[in-house]
Amino acid sequence: MGSELAVNRVSPGIPLEDDPDDFVGYELLIDFIKKRALHQLEGDIIEIGAYMGRGTAKLARFARRYGKKVYAIDVFDPGLDKTLSVSGIKAGDVYEAFLQGRSMLAAYQESTRAFDNIVTIREDSRKVSFPAERRFMFGFIDGCHQQEYVENDFYVIWPHLVSGGVLGLHDYRFDDWPEVTKAAHKLMHAHKREISAAYEIEGKYNILSLLLVKK
Ligand SMILES: C[S@@+](CC[C@H](N)C(=O)[O-])C[C@H]1O[C@@H](n2cnc3c(N)ncnc32)[C@H](O)[C@@H]1O
């Protein structure tokens, strides 16, 4: 099923930093936020799937300048994610491999310890909800790549996203995780009247993220 919304390619306007523990290229997201002046909107930033916290720290450094917080959700236990990729590799095994023996939580704490504007939520994203008054101007989803989780994570954020705010989905187009693409198309179709524009941007490992602007 197509999304019926045109998805326009954004060319990454800046080079990617050489940071092996950032698996997205968060500076591209921050550049997108800056160019659209999302920091002038009401609300904070939220990330689902913080992993080693390299992106969390980059988002927090940016958010701090505007008196904003970053809410970071993760279970911080690589063994919990048993999702199988198309090539038959378990997500948790990939997380373990890149950790190279480090504890995920310890790596996250090390990356983020300089920031007092991060709210860490150590929880399965299916169990997370926010009070109605919570507002986000930017959200990024990179947690469990199963369709039902991607959909869950969308609904954790979308009702709290302000008008003009942006919700990003990592792995929108990446052969290993086709369920993310399926979920994205379903969500774009279901919410097409609430979306003013959709973009895709290429980050690390040639993986495309989807960025949805809320009307
Ligand atoms: C691909 S990694 C995130 C990488 C991170 N965005 C980065 O680039 O550094 C996915 C993360 O989602 C987390 N995760 C998986 N399932 C989750 C769930 N149900 N709830 C919360 N976090 C989850 C994993 O622990 C892992 O840290």
Side-chain angles (χ1 to χ4, degrees), residues 21-24 26 47 49-51 74-76 81 95 104 123-125 142-145 149:
D21 291 340
D22 165 352
F23 298 88
V24 172
Y26 279 78
E47 176 191 35
Y51 194 34
D74 204 297
V75 281
F76 298 110
D81 192 346
Y95 308 153
M104 192 198 292
E123 189 68 90
D124 186 311
S125 61
D142 189 19
C144 178
H145 299 93
Y149 276 94

mmCIF file with all atom_site columns, all heavy atoms in Angstrom, residues 21-24 26 47 49-51 74-76 81 95 104 123-125 142-145 149, ligand 1:
data_model
loop_
_atom_site.group_PDB
_atom_site.id
_atom_site.type_symbol
_atom_site.label_atom_id
_atom_site.label_alt_id
_atom_site.label_comp_id
_atom_site.label_asym_id
_atom_site.label_entity_id
_atom_site.label_seq_id
_atom_site.pdbx_PDB_ins_code
_atom_site.Cartn_x
_atom_site.Cartn_y
_atom_site.Cartn_z
_atom_site.occupancy
_atom_site.B_iso_or_equiv
_atom_site.pdbx_formal_charge
_atom_site.auth_seq_id
_atom_site.auth_comp_id
_atom_site.auth_asym_id
_atom_site.auth_atom_id
_atom_site.pdbx_PDB_model_num
ATOM   1   N N   . ASP A 1 21  ? 29.593 5.249  17.406 1.00 0.00 ? 21  ASP A N   1
ATOM   2   C CA  . ASP A 1 21  ? 28.501 4.828  18.291 1.00 0.00 ? 21  ASP A CA  1
ATOM   3   C C   . ASP A 1 21  ? 27.196 5.584  18.054 1.00 0.00 ? 21  ASP A C   1
ATOM   4   O O   . ASP A 1 21  ? 26.245 5.449  18.825 1.00 0.00 ? 21  ASP A O   1
ATOM   5   C CB  . ASP A 1 21  ? 28.931 4.975  19.765 1.00 0.00 ? 21  ASP A CB  1
ATOM   6   C CG  . ASP A 1 21  ? 30.000 3.958  20.143 1.00 0.00 ? 21  ASP A CG  1
ATOM   7   O OD1 . ASP A 1 21  ? 30.131 2.935  19.431 1.00 0.00 ? 21  ASP A OD1 1
ATOM   8   O OD2 . ASP A 1 21  ? 30.699 4.175  21.148 1.00 0.00 ? 21  ASP A OD2 1
ATOM   9   N N   . ASP A 1 22  ? 27.148 6.384  17.001 1.00 0.00 ? 22  ASP A N   1
ATOM   10  C CA  . ASP A 1 22  ? 25.893 7.027  16.571 1.00 0.00 ? 22  ASP A CA  1
ATOM   11  C C   . ASP A 1 22  ? 25.496 6.306  15.297 1.00 0.00 ? 22  ASP A C   1
ATOM   12  O O   . ASP A 1 22  ? 26.213 6.361  14.297 1.00 0.00 ? 22  ASP A O   1
ATOM   13  C CB  . ASP A 1 22  ? 26.145 8.526  16.341 1.00 0.00 ? 22  ASP A CB  1
ATOM   14  C CG  . ASP A 1 22  ? 25.018 9.212  15.558 1.00 0.00 ? 22  ASP A CG  1
ATOM   15  O OD1 . ASP A 1 22  ? 24.112 8.528  15.054 1.00 0.00 ? 22  ASP A OD1 1
ATOM   16  O OD2 . ASP A 1 22  ? 25.076 10.442 15.432 1.00 0.00 ? 22  ASP A OD2 1
ATOM   17  N N   . PHE A 1 23  ? 24.363 5.623  15.308 1.00 0.00 ? 23  PHE A N   1
ATOM   18  C CA  . PHE A 1 23  ? 23.992 4.757  14.190 1.00 0.00 ? 23  PHE A CA  1
ATOM   19  C C   . PHE A 1 23  ? 23.020 5.425  13.215 1.00 0.00 ? 23  PHE A C   1
ATOM   20  O O   . PHE A 1 23  ? 22.508 4.786  12.309 1.00 0.00 ? 23  PHE A O   1
ATOM   21  C CB  . PHE A 1 23  ? 23.441 3.433  14.730 1.00 0.00 ? 23  PHE A CB  1
ATOM   22  C CG  . PHE A 1 23  ? 24.495 2.711  15.517 1.00 0.00 ? 23  PHE A CG  1
ATOM   23  C CD1 . PHE A 1 23  ? 24.665 2.963  16.877 1.00 0.00 ? 23  PHE A CD1 1
ATOM   24  C CD2 . PHE A 1 23  ? 25.383 1.851  14.890 1.00 0.00 ? 23  PHE A CD2 1
ATOM   25  C CE1 . PHE A 1 23  ? 25.682 2.352  17.601 1.00 0.00 ? 23  PHE A CE1 1
ATOM   26  C CE2 . PHE A 1 23  ? 26.401 1.244  15.606 1.00 0.00 ? 23  PHE A CE2 1
ATOM   27  C CZ  . PHE A 1 23  ? 26.558 1.487  16.960 1.00 0.00 ? 23  PHE A CZ  1
ATOM   28  N N   . VAL A 1 24  ? 22.753 6.698  13.445 1.00 0.00 ? 24  VAL A N   1
ATOM   29  C CA  . VAL A 1 24  ? 21.801 7.424  12.617 1.00 0.00 ? 24  VAL A CA  1
ATOM   30  C C   . VAL A 1 24  ? 22.495 8.536  11.832 1.00 0.00 ? 24  VAL A C   1
ATOM   31  O O   . VAL A 1 24  ? 22.301 8.687  10.620 1.00 0.00 ? 24  VAL A O   1
ATOM   32  C CB  . VAL A 1 24  ? 20.689 8.049  13.517 1.00 0.00 ? 24  VAL A CB  1
ATOM   33  C CG1 . VAL A 1 24  ? 19.807 8.982  12.695 1.00 0.00 ? 24  VAL A CG1 1
ATOM   34  C CG2 . VAL A 1 24  ? 19.846 6.949  14.168 1.00 0.00 ? 24  VAL A CG2 1
ATOM   35  N N   . TYR A 1 26  ? 22.892 11.788 13.856 1.00 0.00 ? 26  TYR A N   1
ATOM   36  C CA  . TYR A 1 26  ? 21.921 12.705 14.476 1.00 0.00 ? 26  TYR A CA  1
ATOM   37  C C   . TYR A 1 26  ? 22.142 14.152 14.070 1.00 0.00 ? 26  TYR A C   1
ATOM   38  O O   . TYR A 1 26  ? 21.233 14.969 14.157 1.00 0.00 ? 26  TYR A O   1
ATOM   39  C CB  . TYR A 1 26  ? 21.956 12.560 16.008 1.00 0.00 ? 26  TYR A CB  1
ATOM   40  C CG  . TYR A 1 26  ? 21.163 11.383 16.526 1.00 0.00 ? 26  TYR A CG  1
ATOM   41  C CD1 . TYR A 1 26  ? 21.673 10.086 16.455 1.00 0.00 ? 26  TYR A CD1 1
ATOM   42  C CD2 . TYR A 1 26  ? 19.904 11.560 17.085 1.00 0.00 ? 26  TYR A CD2 1
ATOM   43  C CE1 . TYR A 1 26  ? 20.951 9.000  16.929 1.00 0.00 ? 26  TYR A CE1 1
ATOM   44  C CE2 . TYR A 1 26  ? 19.176 10.471 17.562 1.00 0.00 ? 26  TYR A CE2 1
ATOM   45  C CZ  . TYR A 1 26  ? 19.703 9.204  17.484 1.00 0.00 ? 26  TYR A CZ  1
ATOM   46  O OH  . TYR A 1 26  ? 18.973 8.135  17.945 1.00 0.00 ? 26  TYR A OH  1
ATOM   47  N N   . GLU A 1 47  ? 12.899 10.785 22.048 1.00 0.00 ? 47  GLU A N   1
ATOM   48  C CA  . GLU A 1 47  ? 13.579 9.765  21.259 1.00 0.00 ? 47  GLU A CA  1
ATOM   49  C C   . GLU A 1 47  ? 13.169 8.399  21.824 1.00 0.00 ? 47  GLU A C   1
ATOM   50  O O   . GLU A 1 47  ? 13.255 8.182  23.036 1.00 0.00 ? 47  GLU A O   1
ATOM   51  C CB  . GLU A 1 47  ? 15.085 9.971  21.446 1.00 0.00 ? 47  GLU A CB  1
ATOM   52  C CG  . GLU A 1 47  ? 15.944 8.949  20.766 1.00 0.00 ? 47  GLU A CG  1
ATOM   53  C CD  . GLU A 1 47  ? 17.416 9.044  21.201 1.00 0.00 ? 47  GLU A CD  1
ATOM   54  O OE1 . GLU A 1 47  ? 17.686 9.358  22.380 1.00 0.00 ? 47  GLU A OE1 1
ATOM   55  O OE2 . GLU A 1 47  ? 18.268 8.768  20.362 1.00 0.00 ? 47  GLU A OE2 1
ATOM   56  N N   . GLY A 1 49  ? 14.383 4.612  21.588 1.00 0.00 ? 49  GLY A N   1
ATOM   57  C CA  . GLY A 1 49  ? 15.516 3.825  21.096 1.00 0.00 ? 49  GLY A CA  1
ATOM   58  C C   . GLY A 1 49  ? 16.791 4.633  21.199 1.00 0.00 ? 49  GLY A C   1
ATOM   59  O O   . GLY A 1 49  ? 17.336 5.136  20.205 1.00 0.00 ? 49  GLY A O   1
ATOM   60  N N   . ALA A 1 50  ? 17.279 4.794  22.427 1.00 0.00 ? 50  ALA A N   1
ATOM   61  C CA  . ALA A 1 50  ? 18.436 5.678  22.673 1.00 0.00 ? 50  ALA A CA  1
ATOM   62  C C   . ALA A 1 50  ? 19.760 4.928  22.572 1.00 0.00 ? 50  ALA A C   1
ATOM   63  O O   . ALA A 1 50  ? 20.798 5.535  22.326 1.00 0.00 ? 50  ALA A O   1
ATOM   64  C CB  . ALA A 1 50  ? 18.314 6.312  24.058 1.00 0.00 ? 50  ALA A CB  1
ATOM   65  N N   . TYR A 1 51  ? 19.709 3.619  22.821 1.00 0.00 ? 51  TYR A N   1
ATOM   66  C CA  . TYR A 1 51  ? 20.884 2.738  22.730 1.00 0.00 ? 51  TYR A CA  1
ATOM   67  C C   . TYR A 1 51  ? 22.055 3.296  23.543 1.00 0.00 ? 51  TYR A C   1
ATOM   68  O O   . TYR A 1 51  ? 21.930 3.474  24.750 1.00 0.00 ? 51  TYR A O   1
ATOM   69  C CB  . TYR A 1 51  ? 21.239 2.528  21.252 1.00 0.00 ? 51  TYR A CB  1
ATOM   70  C CG  . TYR A 1 51  ? 22.192 1.401  20.952 1.00 0.00 ? 51  TYR A CG  1
ATOM   71  C CD1 . TYR A 1 51  ? 22.206 0.219  21.704 1.00 0.00 ? 51  TYR A CD1 1
ATOM   72  C CD2 . TYR A 1 51  ? 23.082 1.493  19.871 1.00 0.00 ? 51  TYR A CD2 1
ATOM   73  C CE1 . TYR A 1 51  ? 23.093 -0.815 21.396 1.00 0.00 ? 51  TYR A CE1 1
ATOM   74  C CE2 . TYR A 1 51  ? 23.956 0.453  19.553 1.00 0.00 ? 51  TYR A CE2 1
ATOM   75  C CZ  . TYR A 1 51  ? 23.959 -0.691 20.320 1.00 0.00 ? 51  TYR A CZ  1
ATOM   76  O OH  . TYR A 1 51  ? 24.821 -1.706 20.001 1.00 0.00 ? 51  TYR A OH  1
ATOM   77  N N   . ASP A 1 74  ? 14.175 3.813  26.483 1.00 0.00 ? 74  ASP A N   1
ATOM   78  C CA  . ASP A 1 74  ? 14.855 2.576  26.058 1.00 0.00 ? 74  ASP A CA  1
ATOM   79  C C   . ASP A 1 74  ? 14.765 1.561  27.195 1.00 0.00 ? 74  ASP A C   1
ATOM   80  O O   . ASP A 1 74  ? 14.695 1.944  28.370 1.00 0.00 ? 74  ASP A O   1
ATOM   81  C CB  . ASP A 1 74  ? 16.335 2.833  25.712 1.00 0.00 ? 74  ASP A CB  1
ATOM   82  C CG  . ASP A 1 74  ? 16.889 1.794  24.746 1.00 0.00 ? 74  ASP A CG  1
ATOM   83  O OD1 . ASP A 1 74  ? 16.945 0.600  25.117 1.00 0.00 ? 74  ASP A OD1 1
ATOM   84  O OD2 . ASP A 1 74  ? 17.264 2.156  23.621 1.00 0.00 ? 74  ASP A OD2 1
ATOM   85  N N   . VAL A 1 75  ? 14.792 0.289  26.835 1.00 0.00 ? 75  VAL A N   1
ATOM   86  C CA  . VAL A 1 75  ? 14.828 -0.758 27.868 1.00 0.00 ? 75  VAL A CA  1
ATOM   87  C C   . VAL A 1 75  ? 16.257 -0.955 28.400 1.00 0.00 ? 75  VAL A C   1
ATOM   88  O O   . VAL A 1 75  ? 16.454 -1.530 29.462 1.00 0.00 ? 75  VAL A O   1
ATOM   89  C CB  . VAL A 1 75  ? 14.277 -2.103 27.345 1.00 0.00 ? 75  VAL A CB  1
ATOM   90  C CG1 . VAL A 1 75  ? 12.765 -2.102 27.320 1.00 0.00 ? 75  VAL A CG1 1
ATOM   91  C CG2 . VAL A 1 75  ? 14.836 -2.426 25.962 1.00 0.00 ? 75  VAL A CG2 1
ATOM   92  N N   . PHE A 1 76  ? 17.231 -0.517 27.623 1.00 0.00 ? 76  PHE A N   1
ATOM   93  C CA  . PHE A 1 76  ? 18.655 -0.636 27.988 1.00 0.00 ? 76  PHE A CA  1
ATOM   94  C C   . PHE A 1 76  ? 19.051 -2.069 28.336 1.00 0.00 ? 76  PHE A C   1
ATOM   95  O O   . PHE A 1 76  ? 19.834 -2.299 29.254 1.00 0.00 ? 76  PHE A O   1
ATOM   96  C CB  . PHE A 1 76  ? 19.008 0.331  29.136 1.00 0.00 ? 76  PHE A CB  1
ATOM   97  C CG  . PHE A 1 76  ? 18.821 1.771  28.768 1.00 0.00 ? 76  PHE A CG  1
ATOM   98  C CD1 . PHE A 1 76  ? 17.798 2.525  29.327 1.00 0.00 ? 76  PHE A CD1 1
ATOM   99  C CD2 . PHE A 1 76  ? 19.661 2.373  27.836 1.00 0.00 ? 76  PHE A CD2 1
ATOM   100 C CE1 . PHE A 1 76  ? 17.608 3.852  28.959 1.00 0.00 ? 76  PHE A CE1 1
ATOM   101 C CE2 . PHE A 1 76  ? 19.481 3.704  27.463 1.00 0.00 ? 76  PHE A CE2 1
ATOM   102 C CZ  . PHE A 1 76  ? 18.452 4.448  28.039 1.00 0.00 ? 76  PHE A CZ  1
ATOM   103 N N   . ASP A 1 81  ? 15.359 -7.503 22.814 1.00 0.00 ? 81  ASP A N   1
ATOM   104 C CA  . ASP A 1 81  ? 14.832 -7.317 21.460 1.00 0.00 ? 81  ASP A CA  1
ATOM   105 C C   . ASP A 1 81  ? 15.185 -8.522 20.599 1.00 0.00 ? 81  ASP A C   1
ATOM   106 O O   . ASP A 1 81  ? 16.297 -8.661 20.097 1.00 0.00 ? 81  ASP A O   1
ATOM   107 C CB  . ASP A 1 81  ? 15.390 -6.021 20.856 1.00 0.00 ? 81  ASP A CB  1
ATOM   108 C CG  . ASP A 1 81  ? 14.650 -5.623 19.580 1.00 0.00 ? 81  ASP A CG  1
ATOM   109 O OD1 . ASP A 1 81  ? 13.914 -6.473 19.030 1.00 0.00 ? 81  ASP A OD1 1
ATOM   110 O OD2 . ASP A 1 81  ? 14.816 -4.473 19.130 1.00 0.00 ? 81  ASP A OD2 1
ATOM   111 N N   . TYR A 1 95  ? 22.871 -5.354 18.656 1.00 0.00 ? 95  TYR A N   1
ATOM   112 C CA  . TYR A 1 95  ? 23.169 -4.383 19.731 1.00 0.00 ? 95  TYR A CA  1
ATOM   113 C C   . TYR A 1 95  ? 24.375 -4.862 20.540 1.00 0.00 ? 95  TYR A C   1
ATOM   114 O O   . TYR A 1 95  ? 25.270 -4.079 20.862 1.00 0.00 ? 95  TYR A O   1
ATOM   115 C CB  . TYR A 1 95  ? 21.979 -4.195 20.688 1.00 0.00 ? 95  TYR A CB  1
ATOM   116 C CG  . TYR A 1 95  ? 20.644 -3.863 20.054 1.00 0.00 ? 95  TYR A CG  1
ATOM   117 C CD1 . TYR A 1 95  ? 19.444 -4.205 20.692 1.00 0.00 ? 95  TYR A CD1 1
ATOM   118 C CD2 . TYR A 1 95  ? 20.555 -3.202 18.829 1.00 0.00 ? 95  TYR A CD2 1
ATOM   119 C CE1 . TYR A 1 95  ? 18.218 -3.901 20.131 1.00 0.00 ? 95  TYR A CE1 1
ATOM   120 C CE2 . TYR A 1 95  ? 19.324 -2.908 18.255 1.00 0.00 ? 95  TYR A CE2 1
ATOM   121 C CZ  . TYR A 1 95  ? 18.159 -3.270 18.909 1.00 0.00 ? 95  TYR A CZ  1
ATOM   122 O OH  . TYR A 1 95  ? 16.941 -2.983 18.348 1.00 0.00 ? 95  TYR A OH  1
ATOM   123 N N   . MET A 1 104 ? 24.987 -1.679 27.999 1.00 0.00 ? 104 MET A N   1
ATOM   124 C CA  . MET A 1 104 ? 24.285 -0.626 27.254 1.00 0.00 ? 104 MET A CA  1
ATOM   125 C C   . MET A 1 104 ? 23.983 0.553  28.167 1.00 0.00 ? 104 MET A C   1
ATOM   126 O O   . MET A 1 104 ? 24.182 1.710  27.802 1.00 0.00 ? 104 MET A O   1
ATOM   127 C CB  . MET A 1 104 ? 22.981 -1.155 26.630 1.00 0.00 ? 104 MET A CB  1
ATOM   128 C CG  . MET A 1 104 ? 22.402 -0.185 25.617 1.00 0.00 ? 104 MET A CG  1
ATOM   129 S SD  . MET A 1 104 ? 20.655 -0.449 25.204 1.00 0.00 ? 104 MET A SD  1
ATOM   130 C CE  . MET A 1 104 ? 20.703 -1.987 24.340 1.00 0.00 ? 104 MET A CE  1
ATOM   131 N N   . GLU A 1 123 ? 12.132 1.839  30.107 1.00 0.00 ? 123 GLU A N   1
ATOM   132 C CA  . GLU A 1 123 ? 10.847 1.139  30.056 1.00 0.00 ? 123 GLU A CA  1
ATOM   133 C C   . GLU A 1 123 ? 10.610 0.627  28.645 1.00 0.00 ? 123 GLU A C   1
ATOM   134 O O   . GLU A 1 123 ? 11.110 1.215  27.676 1.00 0.00 ? 123 GLU A O   1
ATOM   135 C CB  . GLU A 1 123 ? 9.764  2.165  30.439 1.00 0.00 ? 123 GLU A CB  1
ATOM   136 C CG  . GLU A 1 123 ? 8.388  1.628  30.667 1.00 0.00 ? 123 GLU A CG  1
ATOM   137 C CD  . GLU A 1 123 ? 8.275  0.743  31.900 1.00 0.00 ? 123 GLU A CD  1
ATOM   138 O OE1 . GLU A 1 123 ? 7.994  1.252  32.995 1.00 0.00 ? 123 GLU A OE1 1
ATOM   139 O OE2 . GLU A 1 123 ? 8.476  -0.482 31.720 1.00 0.00 ? 123 GLU A OE2 1
ATOM   140 N N   . ASP A 1 124 ? 9.833  -0.435 28.535 1.00 0.00 ? 124 ASP A N   1
ATOM   141 C CA  . ASP A 1 124 ? 9.354  -0.891 27.235 1.00 0.00 ? 124 ASP A CA  1
ATOM   142 C C   . ASP A 1 124 ? 8.437  0.213  26.690 1.00 0.00 ? 124 ASP A C   1
ATOM   143 O O   . ASP A 1 124 ? 7.540  0.680  27.409 1.00 0.00 ? 124 ASP A O   1
ATOM   144 C CB  . ASP A 1 124 ? 8.571  -2.199 27.424 1.00 0.00 ? 124 ASP A CB  1
ATOM   145 C CG  . ASP A 1 124 ? 8.155  -2.830 26.111 1.00 0.00 ? 124 ASP A CG  1
ATOM   146 O OD1 . ASP A 1 124 ? 7.591  -2.102 25.259 1.00 0.00 ? 124 ASP A OD1 1
ATOM   147 O OD2 . ASP A 1 124 ? 8.377  -4.030 25.933 1.00 0.00 ? 124 ASP A OD2 1
ATOM   148 N N   . SER A 1 125 ? 8.654  0.603  25.447 1.00 0.00 ? 125 SER A N   1
ATOM   149 C CA  . SER A 1 125 ? 7.886  1.737  24.902 1.00 0.00 ? 125 SER A CA  1
ATOM   150 C C   . SER A 1 125 ? 6.386  1.453  24.885 1.00 0.00 ? 125 SER A C   1
ATOM   151 O O   . SER A 1 125 ? 5.585  2.382  24.851 1.00 0.00 ? 125 SER A O   1
ATOM   152 C CB  . SER A 1 125 ? 8.383  2.098  23.499 1.00 0.00 ? 125 SER A CB  1
ATOM   153 O OG  . SER A 1 125 ? 8.221  1.004  22.623 1.00 0.00 ? 125 SER A OG  1
ATOM   154 N N   . ASP A 1 142 ? 13.340 4.952  16.891 1.00 0.00 ? 142 ASP A N   1
ATOM   155 C CA  . ASP A 1 142 ? 14.347 3.975  16.444 1.00 0.00 ? 142 ASP A CA  1
ATOM   156 C C   . ASP A 1 142 ? 14.465 2.881  17.507 1.00 0.00 ? 142 ASP A C   1
ATOM   157 O O   . ASP A 1 142 ? 15.540 2.547  17.961 1.00 0.00 ? 142 ASP A O   1
ATOM   158 C CB  . ASP A 1 142 ? 15.701 4.679  16.215 1.00 0.00 ? 142 ASP A CB  1
ATOM   159 C CG  . ASP A 1 142 ? 16.721 3.763  15.541 1.00 0.00 ? 142 ASP A CG  1
ATOM   160 O OD1 . ASP A 1 142 ? 16.311 2.757  14.929 1.00 0.00 ? 142 ASP A OD1 1
ATOM   161 O OD2 . ASP A 1 142 ? 17.921 4.060  15.628 1.00 0.00 ? 142 ASP A OD2 1
ATOM   162 N N   . GLY A 1 143 ? 13.294 2.354  17.901 1.00 0.00 ? 143 GLY A N   1
ATOM   163 C CA  . GLY A 1 143 ? 13.275 1.311  18.927 1.00 0.00 ? 143 GLY A CA  1
ATOM   164 C C   . GLY A 1 143 ? 13.166 -0.064 18.282 1.00 0.00 ? 143 GLY A C   1
ATOM   165 O O   . GLY A 1 143 ? 13.950 -0.404 17.400 1.00 0.00 ? 143 GLY A O   1
ATOM   166 N N   . CYS A 1 144 ? 12.178 -0.833 18.724 1.00 0.00 ? 144 CYS A N   1
ATOM   167 C CA  . CYS A 1 144 ? 11.952 -2.159 18.140 1.00 0.00 ? 144 CYS A CA  1
ATOM   168 C C   . CYS A 1 144 ? 11.380 -1.986 16.731 1.00 0.00 ? 144 CYS A C   1
ATOM   169 O O   . CYS A 1 144 ? 10.502 -1.152 16.507 1.00 0.00 ? 144 CYS A O   1
ATOM   170 C CB  . CYS A 1 144 ? 10.987 -2.934 19.025 1.00 0.00 ? 144 CYS A CB  1
ATOM   171 S SG  . CYS A 1 144 ? 10.610 -4.553 18.362 1.00 0.00 ? 144 CYS A SG  1
ATOM   172 N N   . HIS A 1 145 ? 11.884 -2.801 15.774 1.00 0.00 ? 145 HIS A N   1
ATOM   173 C CA  . HIS A 1 145 ? 11.524 -2.600 14.367 1.00 0.00 ? 145 HIS A CA  1
ATOM   174 C C   . HIS A 1 145 ? 10.347 -3.456 13.897 1.00 0.00 ? 145 HIS A C   1
ATOM   175 O O   . HIS A 1 145 ? 10.096 -3.566 12.704 1.00 0.00 ? 145 HIS A O   1
ATOM   176 C CB  . HIS A 1 145 ? 12.754 -2.855 13.490 1.00 0.00 ? 145 HIS A CB  1
ATOM   177 C CG  . HIS A 1 145 ? 13.884 -1.922 13.793 1.00 0.00 ? 145 HIS A CG  1
ATOM   178 N ND1 . HIS A 1 145 ? 14.878 -2.235 14.692 1.00 0.00 ? 145 HIS A ND1 1
ATOM   179 C CD2 . HIS A 1 145 ? 14.150 -0.674 13.362 1.00 0.00 ? 145 HIS A CD2 1
ATOM   180 C CE1 . HIS A 1 145 ? 15.723 -1.222 14.779 1.00 0.00 ? 145 HIS A CE1 1
ATOM   181 N NE2 . HIS A 1 145 ? 15.298 -0.260 13.985 1.00 0.00 ? 145 HIS A NE2 1
ATOM   182 N N   . TYR A 1 149 ? 5.299  -2.436 17.126 1.00 0.00 ? 149 TYR A N   1
ATOM   183 C CA  . TYR A 1 149 ? 6.056  -1.505 17.974 1.00 0.00 ? 149 TYR A CA  1
ATOM   184 C C   . TYR A 1 149 ? 6.179  -0.141 17.306 1.00 0.00 ? 149 TYR A C   1
ATOM   185 O O   . TYR A 1 149 ? 6.060  0.891  17.966 1.00 0.00 ? 149 TYR A O   1
ATOM   186 C CB  . TYR A 1 149 ? 7.448  -2.058 18.292 1.00 0.00 ? 149 TYR A CB  1
ATOM   187 C CG  . TYR A 1 149 ? 7.453  -3.018 19.456 1.00 0.00 ? 149 TYR A CG  1
ATOM   188 C CD1 . TYR A 1 149 ? 7.344  -4.375 19.260 1.00 0.00 ? 149 TYR A CD1 1
ATOM   189 C CD2 . TYR A 1 149 ? 7.560  -2.540 20.763 1.00 0.00 ? 149 TYR A CD2 1
ATOM   190 C CE1 . TYR A 1 149 ? 7.343  -5.251 20.325 1.00 0.00 ? 149 TYR A CE1 1
ATOM   191 C CE2 . TYR A 1 149 ? 7.560  -3.411 21.843 1.00 0.00 ? 149 TYR A CE2 1
ATOM   192 C CZ  . TYR A 1 149 ? 7.450  -4.775 21.618 1.00 0.00 ? 149 TYR A CZ  1
ATOM   193 O OH  . TYR A 1 149 ? 7.443  -5.635 22.664 1.00 0.00 ? 149 TYR A OH  1
HETATM 194 C C1  . LIG B 2 .   ? 18.726 0.510  16.706 1.00 0.00 ? 1   LIG B C1  1
HETATM 195 S S1  . LIG B 2 .   ? 18.906 0.801  18.412 1.00 0.00 ? 1   LIG B S1  1
HETATM 196 C C2  . LIG B 2 .   ? 18.836 2.537  18.530 1.00 0.00 ? 1   LIG B C2  1
HETATM 197 C C3  . LIG B 2 .   ? 20.058 3.210  18.012 1.00 0.00 ? 1   LIG B C3  1
HETATM 198 C C4  . LIG B 2 .   ? 20.110 4.675  18.333 1.00 0.00 ? 1   LIG B C4  1
HETATM 199 N N1  . LIG B 2 .   ? 18.997 5.384  17.781 1.00 0.00 ? 1   LIG B N1  1
HETATM 200 C C5  . LIG B 2 .   ? 21.403 5.240  17.806 1.00 0.00 ? 1   LIG B C5  1
HETATM 201 O O1  . LIG B 2 .   ? 21.501 5.533  16.619 1.00 0.00 ? 1   LIG B O1  1
HETATM 202 O O2  . LIG B 2 .   ? 22.354 5.347  18.580 1.00 0.00 ? 1   LIG B O2  1
HETATM 203 C C6  . LIG B 2 .   ? 17.344 0.310  19.016 1.00 0.00 ? 1   LIG B C6  1
HETATM 204 C C7  . LIG B 2 .   ? 17.162 0.552  20.471 1.00 0.00 ? 1   LIG B C7  1
HETATM 205 O O3  . LIG B 2 .   ? 15.797 0.305  20.792 1.00 0.00 ? 1   LIG B O3  1
HETATM 206 C C8  . LIG B 2 .   ? 15.727 -0.313 22.051 1.00 0.00 ? 1   LIG B C8  1
HETATM 207 N N2  . LIG B 2 .   ? 14.465 -1.046 22.138 1.00 0.00 ? 1   LIG B N2  1
HETATM 208 C C9  . LIG B 2 .   ? 14.115 -2.156 21.474 1.00 0.00 ? 1   LIG B C9  1
HETATM 209 N N3  . LIG B 2 .   ? 12.874 -2.528 21.802 1.00 0.00 ? 1   LIG B N3  1
HETATM 210 C C10 . LIG B 2 .   ? 12.411 -1.600 22.684 1.00 0.00 ? 1   LIG B C10 1
HETATM 211 C C11 . LIG B 2 .   ? 11.207 -1.434 23.399 1.00 0.00 ? 1   LIG B C11 1
HETATM 212 N N4  . LIG B 2 .   ? 10.179 -2.286 23.250 1.00 0.00 ? 1   LIG B N4  1
HETATM 213 N N5  . LIG B 2 .   ? 11.076 -0.381 24.220 1.00 0.00 ? 1   LIG B N5  1
HETATM 214 C C12 . LIG B 2 .   ? 12.099 0.502  24.379 1.00 0.00 ? 1   LIG B C12 1
HETATM 215 N N6  . LIG B 2 .   ? 13.273 0.385  23.733 1.00 0.00 ? 1   LIG B N6  1
HETATM 216 C C13 . LIG B 2 .   ? 13.433 -0.651 22.895 1.00 0.00 ? 1   LIG B C13 1
HETATM 217 C C14 . LIG B 2 .   ? 16.944 -1.203 22.127 1.00 0.00 ? 1   LIG B C14 1
HETATM 218 O O4  . LIG B 2 .   ? 17.301 -1.463 23.459 1.00 0.00 ? 1   LIG B O4  1
HETATM 219 C C15 . LIG B 2 .   ? 17.991 -0.369 21.365 1.00 0.00 ? 1   LIG B C15 1
HETATM 220 O O5  . LIG B 2 .   ? 18.751 0.405  22.242 1.00 0.00 ? 1   LIG B O5  1
#
